[in-house]
Amino acid sequence: MAVDTLIELRGVNKHFGDLHVLRNIDLSVGRGEVVVIIGPSGSGKSTLCRVINRLETIESGTITLDGQPLPEEGKELARLRAEVGMVFQSFNLFAHKTVLANVSLAQVKVRGRKRAEADKRSLELLDRVGLVDQAPKFPAQLSGGQQQRVAIARALAMNPKALLFDEPTSALDPEMINEVLEVMRQLAQEGMTMVVVTHEMGFARSAANRVVFMADGQIVEDRTPEQFFTAPESDRAKDFLSKILKH
């Protein structure tokens, strides 16, 4: 049990039709922890990520954030999504708004900041992800890696308690992956609580406090990267690692 648990899932179940995608999931994420979720396709990783900020509903079990159960809908839910930022595979930026406006929008709408204050914060965060010079541009003028870094800045702008990353680099060309992982590594070093679904094993090894390995909707292993990568306990994990580490 983490000393200071920020996110807690207990007995969480989820079906899509007949498919049991999450089976009795128990997971605790401590404040400041980086938990990387890996596993074969269809193991429930993305769904697990999405139930934490209620993009998907659950059928049974409980999920708490900072000791509070997840709200059902409405204003409370919007507030929850501000507390738990999400960075997706696709960048989900507004094409018709500038980079600066993309990062400022929710600060004004959800956090109630004045536009000037929001823009000031946005520029600081764009600077942090190395893109302050791109602020007046539109998303289409940026590379995929730059767009994903804007999306990270936008999530950070809400001062979230935690960030969820759902395969943030899988839509990127190989040469852009590192610039996004580098920003994520910095956040990890600064103590941001992160849950990261990824195929990037180097990131899992270097930045994670814990690696959670999923298969068939269940958590099969939950260990330190060192333990997991050097001595996986389950056949499923051994099989998975032998396939990916050959490449």
Side-chain angles (χ1 to χ4, degrees):
M1 186 75 186
V3 187
D4 186 3
T5 301
L6 183 62
I7 299 166
E8 178 139 48
L9 290 78
R10 283 280 163 263
V12 169
N13 281 281
K14 166 81 184 167
H15 286 78
F16 289 124
D18 291 336
L19 193 63
H20 198 168
V21 281
L22 295 178
R23 301 169 181 257
N24 292 318
I25 296 287
D26 290 335
L27 179 69
S28 297
V29 180
R31 204 177 301 273
E33 248 190 329
V34 178
V35 174
V36 170
I37 302 175
I38 62 175
S41 291
S43 55
K45 308 181 299 283
S46 289
T47 307
L48 176 60
C49 203
R50 292 168 69 89
V51 298
I52 295 175
N53 76 344
R54 240 180 158 281
L55 285 169
E56 299 284 357
T57 55
I58 60 173
E59 284 133 29
S60 63
T62 57
I63 302 177
T64 54
L65 175 74
D66 222 354
Q68 301 296 312
L70 295 196
E72 292 296 312
E73 64 246 341
K75 279 211 171 86
E76 288 302 311
L77 188 54
R79 202 166 296 138
L80 164 83
R81 297 219 173 110
E83 299 291 342
V84 183
M86 182 117 182
V87 179
F88 301 90
Q89 214 168 337
S90 50
F91 323 118
N92 293 6
L93 299 174
F94 295 109
H96 60 289
K97 292 191 181 298
T98 63
V99 164
L100 181 64
N102 263 287
V103 182
S104 292
L105 186 69
Q107 295 180 64
V108 174
K109 288 237 192 304
V110 181
R111 288 290 196 213
R113 290 178 190 149
K114 297 271 185 292
R115 167 68 65 185
E117 183 197 344
D119 283 350
K120 180 171 179 285
R121 169 96 177 123
S122 297
L123 288 168
E124 284 165 11
L125 287 165
L126 286 168
D127 189 37
R128 193 165 153 189
V129 300
L131 292 172
V132 73
D133 54 335
Q134 307 294 325
K137 292 190 179 171
F138 289 90
Q141 295 171 281
L142 272 54
S143 72
Q146 289 172 322
Q147 290 186 58
Q148 192 59 293
R149 285 186 283 152
V150 172
I152 294 173
R154 178 180 59 181
L156 287 172
M158 305 300 280
N159 301 100
K161 290 179 177 171
L163 282 180
L164 309 173
F165 292 86
D166 187 9
E167 303 202 4
T169 58
S170 61
L172 298 177
D173 291 332
E175 72 271 17
M176 295 172 193
I177 290 174
N178 268 339
E179 66 192 59
V180 173
L181 293 179
E182 198 40 55
V183 170
M184 292 167 63
R185 279 195 188 95
Q186 282 168 356
L187 292 174
Q189 281 162 3
E190 289 160 22
M192 171 60 77
T193 307
M194 292 159 55
V195 176
V196 183
V197 175
T198 187
H199 295 291
E200 296 297 327
M201 295 303 138
F203 177 81
R205 268 198 150 127
S206 62
N209 299 101
R210 282 160 51 210
V211 171
V212 169
F213 175 73
M214 289 185 73
D216 305 320
Q218 291 172 304
I219 292 177
V220 181
E221 300 199 25
D222 178 348
R223 307 167 70 210
T224 67
E226 181 60 24
Q227 290 168 327
F228 179 76
F229 285 108
T230 54
E233 285 174 346
S234 63
D235 290 339
R236 290 303 305 262
K238 285 173 190 160
D239 182 49
F240 176 77
L241 286 172
S242 72
K243 286 191 178 113
I244 54 163
L245 297 178
K246 276 180 193 144
H247 300 303

